[in-house]
Amino acid sequence: MRAASETSVRSGERALAPPPRTAGTDAPVVEIVIPVLNEERALGGGVRTLHAYLREWFPWTWRITVVDNGSTDRTPEVGRALAAELPGVELRRLDVRGKGAAVKAAWRESDATVVAYMDVDLSTDLGALLPLVAPLVSGHSDLAIGTRLGRGARIRRGLRREAVSRCYNGLLRVGFGARFTDAACGFKAARADVAGRLTACVGDDDWFFDTEMLLLAEFNGLRVHEVAVDWVEDVDSRVRVGRTAAHNLRGLLRTARAMARGEAGLGLPERPEPRPAHPDAVLGRPTGRPGMLVGFAAAGLLATVVHTAGYLLLRGAWAPVPANLGGLLLSTVAGTEANRRWTFPRRGGRRAFVHSRAALLAALNWALTSVAVAGAAALRPGRIGEACVLLAVSSCLVTLRFSALDRWVFARRG
């Protein structure tokens, strides 16, 4: 175990100087980082509670590292006292402010096998810590996150923060196709080798750090494990929801540009595809042409419903042809994402490439369906009648659409 000590960083540097080592000691399996800024009141109770839990229940060797990044109150003094009192607790200093900067610096310098971080207020119940790090220690997963929005989570927080959280994570799922459910929960862990590569590519030093790390991880094919947590809102939280939301939106735009330009790769080696005796057990759904038809039928049903509903909503204010275009744009995005996941998994290349081809296919669809709804409108059957004609024409185009998706939009590579 490293000797409990305080290290300093030269002004302007972002890397942490490694603390002195005690001769003959081994690195811990898990290092837990607690970033703090002016937390003199919460630090003592949080660290003592975590220390007692680890000593009593944790099966692997561990270290608690408190990273003070620019506190102006008595937080450094409290941290030094804890490091002197509790074995396995260290205090480290960082001149650069920001939660992301503190976590990245500590993770990069860690000699542990698995690195984790949590908020000092311990809003997340510590009972989730063992299931969080277990799949990382075993090598099954690359990252692990606590989720307050997944099935089985039990949380208590105000309505405004609940609404903002769900809208934000919904935006990530729609805009980036994210499969994780909660980007901002302050309860995460990673394998140290993966954490080093990820943190080198994460540009944000503040609250967007979590989201950017997860988006880059999924973009590069890393495996993310989720643990449903029990979570209670800290009423003394320093997070400013409006300011943080604006900062995160800017971060999302920057991350999207990096992905579109091919600048978000981590340079990870390709992993071989699993080859079990029965591939259906891996996919969890029918495979081959029957499975594709099932997925295509589900995606087509979703796209048709979105197209028809969008047309009905827009038809009250727009003419038939523009209303059809609006509904078709919505259904194209929804249908392409659904086919990407359900019908043609691991085919078609990057999301931007797939959607650009799907957009050209949608243009042809729009031309044909617009002729149909314009002709129907001339007969004055009403909006419901026009929608029925639109539904009939769209159904007739199903076979053509499946062939185009299979042979062109999601064409097999190689």
Side-chain angles (χ1 to χ4, degrees):
M1 185 90 48
R2 284 193 236 165
S5 63
E6 173 186 345
T7 61
S8 61
V9 182
R10 293 193 300 271
S11 178
E13 291 187 342
R14 299 199 175 198
L16 287 174
R21 298 181 182 274
T22 302
T25 58
D26 296 325
V29 175
V30 179
E31 179 169 4
I32 302 169
V33 176
I34 302 179
V36 292
L37 174 63
N38 296 331
E39 295 284 1
E40 62 176 346
R41 291 186 296 175
L43 181 57
V47 170
R48 285 190 176 89
T49 300
L50 175 60
H51 188 274
Y53 173 84
L54 294 173
R55 186 179 57 194
E56 184 72 19
W57 299 104
F58 210 60
W60 299 292
T61 56
W62 49 268
R63 178 192 302 132
I64 301 173
T65 301
V66 178
V67 182
D68 171 35
N69 56 330
S71 294
T72 56
D73 62 359
R74 295 186 59 256
T75 296
E77 288 81 356
V78 175
R80 278 193 291 268
L82 291 169
E85 172 191 349
L86 303 173
V89 176
E90 297 182 357
L91 173 69
R92 310 183 74 177
R93 299 293 303 278
L94 186 68
D95 290 340
V96 179
R97 286 197 173 190
K99 181 191 78 170
V103 175
K104 288 193 296 182
W107 278 12
R108 280 199 297 263
E109 298 295 335
S110 178
D111 58 354
T113 304
V114 172
V115 289
Y117 93 86
M118 64 178 62
D119 296 332
V120 70
D121 57 20
L122 300 186
S123 293
T124 303
D125 184 80
L126 292 176
L129 182 58
L130 184 57
L132 184 81
V133 302
L136 306 178
V137 175
S138 69
H140 174 271
S141 300
D142 301 301
L143 278 84
I145 65 173
T147 174
R148 299 161 294 184
L149 303 177
R151 180 175 298 177
R154 294 181 293 182
I155 66 173
R156 190 171 69 206
R157 63 176 165 184
L159 179 60
R160 184 178 70 144
R161 292 190 66 177
E162 176 74 8
V164 170
S165 176
R166 290 189 177 277
C167 290
Y168 179 63
N169 286 284
L171 176 62
L172 296 178
R173 288 193 292 274
V174 173
F176 290 84
R179 294 183 294 277
F180 52 84
T181 59
D182 189 357
C185 182
F187 196 72
K188 293 182 173 64
R191 287 196 357 246
D193 55 338
V194 172
R197 289 179 178 267
L198 268 178
T199 54
C201 295
V202 174
D204 192 80
D205 284 342
D206 213 332
W207 297 102
F208 185 68
F209 156 78
D210 303 75
T211 302
E212 185 174 358
M213 179 177 66
L214 288 172
L215 290 176
L216 290 176
E218 284 201 343
F219 184 78
N220 285 275
L222 299 179
R223 180 173 288 183
V224 180
H225 174 71
E226 286 196 334
V227 176
V229 300
D230 298 342
W231 190 88
V232 179
E233 181 179 7
D234 178 17
V235 295
D236 190 35
S237 175
R238 314 288 175 83
V239 179
R240 299 294 177 263
V241 176
R243 184 189 307 172
T244 302
H247 176 78
N248 287 356
L249 288 175
R250 290 193 296 270
L252 290 175
L253 292 175
R254 176 173 52 79
T255 304
R257 284 198 299 268
M259 291 178 176
R261 295 171 180 173
E263 300 170 354
L266 302 179
L268 296 172
E270 290 289 336
R271 297 185 179 183
E273 289 289 333
R275 297 183 180 277
H278 190 7
D280 292 359
V282 174
L283 297 178
R285 57 178 177 266
T287 56
R289 184 66 65 174
M292 292 173 63
L293 293 176
V294 171
F296 178 72
L301 178 62
L302 173 65
T304 301
V305 170
V306 172
H307 189 177
T308 306
Y311 179 84
L312 288 173
L313 289 173
L314 297 173
R315 184 63 180 88
W318 294 357
V321 173
N324 179 46
L325 177 60
L328 187 60
L329 289 176
L330 295 174
S331 69
T332 298
V333 175
T336 302
E337 277 300 312
N339 277 306
R340 189 172 181 268
R341 298 187 184 199
W342 303 340
T343 314
F344 308 100
R346 298 188 298 276
R347 282 176 56 180
R350 299 291 189 190
R351 179 178 283 104
F353 177 77
V354 167
H355 278 280
S356 63
R357 287 196 166 189
L360 294 176
L361 187 61
L364 175 62
N365 194 350
W366 175 70
L368 297 175
T369 54
S370 292
V371 171
V373 295
L379 301 177
R380 302 182 183 277
R383 280 189 291 173
I384 300 299
E386 294 173 10
C388 291
V389 172
L390 178 63
L391 181 62
V393 174
S394 298
S395 300
C396 293
L397 296 174
V398 166
T399 303
L400 174 62
R401 180 173 175 79
F402 179 81
S403 298
L405 290 173
D406 184 26
R407 299 174 180 272
W408 185 52
V409 177
F410 295 96
R412 296 181 184 273
R413 290 174 291 176

